[in-house]
Amino acid sequence: MNALVLVGMSIADADRRTELTAAARAHGATIAFLQQAEPALSLELTRLADAGTTAITLVGVNLGPLGPAHSWLRRIAGHWWREYAGTTPEVLVATRLADDLDRIDDVLGEAKPISGTEAGLTSAAWESVTGHRHQVMICRGPRCTAKGAVDNLRAMVLAMLEHQLGDDDVLLVHTGCQFPCNQAPVISVQPDDVWYGHVDPETATTIVKEHFVTGQPVVTHRLMR
Ligand code: FES
């Protein structure tokens, strides 16, 4: 028994679950996610293996500009392969990510098997707690998501790249409802205790430029207690 799994690589792919599911159905596949959505890839691999699947092909789908590198698909699959307690199926990973749901067939033909020798999930670089100055709470509750939280996130990440701010400087955190929903989309910045409302991508970019780089909160969209 063979199976095909389309694996969303980033939160941008989790946001497009409906499209990913439709593409999977068209290919007789199921879906899984590398992060931030269910089912997690490991859970889906276990489900298929427990059901007696003998060969599983994984195609990574990266529809956003900011997904993790392709190598993480092999590393996560390799970790699962080493840990799975039952009879391990053959797991093949497409050698390229599909950056468009119309390109799944293009990458499907080029898949290489997992060998169990893939790099693990740890690195010497990830030993310590980071010294980031700000934790940025991006509300992904229902109101904020409906009003453009995803576009704000994308603008913020792109602006951080432009200003060479990494996880060591600013940690972006997705949250559920932060409560001032009438001001959606909401972003709050800790430990400064600065709250922003009615944020749009232009404002998100300005927050990076002014608040994170120069330390000056953006007064036009600041919410006062
Ligand atoms: S949904 Fe974002 S503050 Fe409530």
Side-chain angles (χ1 to χ4, degrees):
M1 187 164 64
N2 294 351
L4 172 65
V5 183
L6 305 186
V7 185
M9 299 290 288
S10 75
I11 192 161
D13 308 306
D15 286 332
R16 295 174 71 176
R17 169 189 284 273
T18 306
E19 295 163 62
L20 195 61
T21 302
R25 202 169 290 134
H27 287 82
T30 58
I31 62 169
F33 295 93
L34 209 60
Q35 55 183 325
Q36 311 216 26
E38 300 297 333
L41 174 58
S42 300
L43 286 182
E44 181 61 3
L45 286 168
T46 297
R47 185 188 73 78
L48 291 167
D50 287 350
T53 308
T54 49
I56 303 170
T57 302
L58 306 178
V59 172
V61 176
N62 187 30
L63 302 175
L66 305 165
H70 172 270
S71 59
W72 277 105
L73 186 52
R74 288 192 70 82
R75 284 175 77 158
I76 300 293
H79 173 76
W80 175 85
W81 202 87
R82 288 189 292 271
E83 299 280 313
Y84 181 62
T87 305
T88 315
E90 183 181 34
V91 178
L92 300 110
V93 178
T95 54
R96 287 183 294 138
L97 297 176
D99 58 6
D100 189 311
L101 290 173
D102 291 333
R103 300 223 182 92
I104 288 167
D105 288 328
D106 297 346
V107 302
L108 240 183
E110 310 160 19
K112 287 200 176 144
I114 290 293
S115 64
T117 59
E118 290 74 20
L121 304 188
T122 57
S123 157
W126 304 330
E127 196 60 33
S128 307
V129 174
T130 69
H132 51 261
R133 292 194 307 274
H134 292 113
Q135 292 179 355
V136 180
M137 314 292 178
I138 299 173
C139 181
R140 299 298 307 275
R143 271 73 58 185
C144 291
T145 299
K147 289 182 130 182
V150 177
D151 295 334
N152 292 339
L153 168 68
R154 188 167 294 122
M156 193 163 263
V157 172
L158 291 174
M160 284 173 54
L161 288 172
E162 187 186 329
H163 290 280
Q164 299 185 323
L165 295 175
D167 292 347
D168 286 352
D169 305 295
V170 177
L171 184 68
L172 300 180
V173 181
H174 301 262
T175 75
C177 176
Q178 295 186 31
F179 299 112
C181 310
N182 292 351
Q183 321 294 336
V186 168
I187 290 175
S188 56
V189 180
Q190 302 298 343
D192 297 356
D193 196 23
V194 171
W195 290 66
Y196 294 109
H198 303 292
V199 177
D200 57 18
E202 191 182 338
T203 310
T205 303
T206 306
I207 291 170
V208 172
K209 222 169 17 183
E210 297 185 5
H211 192 157
F212 302 162
V213 175
T214 69
Q216 297 300 319
V218 179
V219 290
T220 52
H221 286 70
R222 186 167 179 180
L223 304 175
M224 304 312 285
R225 286 184 185 276

